[in-house]
Amino acid sequence: MLLVNTYGMKAYSTDLREKVMNAYNNREGSQRELAQRFSVSLSFVQSLLRRYRSNGTIEPKPHGGGQSAKLNSEQIALVTLLVEEDNDAILVELCDRLQERAGVKISRATMARITQKLNLTRKKKQYMPVSDTQSGCKNSGRSIGQPLGRST
């Protein structure tokens, strides 16, 4: 039993809406009591009654549509290709390359959401030279990375 709102939740079922309306028509309690009885908000009961009085229906309103997608399927395929070509590229670089090839400008955050949604990992290479010197803690006598167990 969920209420339609801007957070993507589903509408209450028609069955629940009918039960609330039947209980109200049979005078089984006040709007507040019915809200508590059916575990819904008072504003839902009030909206349901208002909708029934004005439109004669208790059906939920159709989905509002939401925001349109920034990229079409071809552009998303291009993002996949860009990541495959250079998986070391940072998000800003991917945005720039997408703009060069497809003429579409998106933000770094949008690129992050797209790559996350597509499960595209951008694995960074480690360019760390091997060091000849041991860097260790002064007091322990052990270098970093050695186990802390007893020395034999």
Side-chain angles (χ1 to χ4, degrees), residues 18-152:
E18 289 173 355
K19 288 178 183 177
V20 171
M21 284 302 300
N22 289 337
Y24 180 78
N25 290 335
N26 293 335
R27 305 191 192 289
E28 294 177 17
S30 67
Q31 292 178 10
R32 190 176 308 276
E33 290 168 344
L34 293 176
Q36 190 172 12
R37 174 177 159 191
F38 291 103
S39 300
V40 296
S41 67
L42 174 60
S43 62
F44 168 74
V45 175
Q46 292 168 339
S47 298
L48 181 65
L49 295 173
R50 189 178 318 112
R51 183 163 169 79
Y52 181 73
R53 288 180 193 129
S54 66
N55 300 340
T57 181
I58 59 171
E59 295 297 318
K61 293 179 182 176
H63 186 271
Q67 211 170 14
S68 61
K70 299 284 184 198
L71 302 179
N72 62 31
S73 58
E74 292 173 5
Q75 294 162 340
I76 290 175
L78 180 58
V79 169
T80 304
L81 181 67
L82 291 172
V83 173
E84 287 173 359
E85 286 176 359
D86 183 10
N87 63 352
D88 277 343
I90 60 174
L91 293 170
V92 174
E93 293 171 340
L94 290 173
C95 292
D96 292 342
R97 291 174 190 167
L98 180 65
Q99 186 174 7
E100 288 171 9
R101 291 200 192 174
V104 177
K105 183 175 175 108
I106 61 172
S107 68
R108 182 202 52 80
T110 301
M111 181 61 78
R113 285 190 299 272
I114 291 169
T115 56
Q116 187 175 29
K117 184 178 178 182
L118 296 173
N119 291 324
L120 298 175
T121 57
R122 297 173 342 276
K123 189 131 183 147
K124 304 292 181 236
K125 294 178 185 163
Q126 298 292 326
Y127 293 109
M128 296 175 56
V130 177
S131 176
D132 291 338
T133 60
Q134 290 281 335
S135 61
C137 299
K138 299 191 246 193
N139 298 332
S140 70
R142 293 189 171 100
S143 66
I144 295 174
Q146 285 185 336
L148 295 174
R150 290 185 179 170
S151 30
T152 52

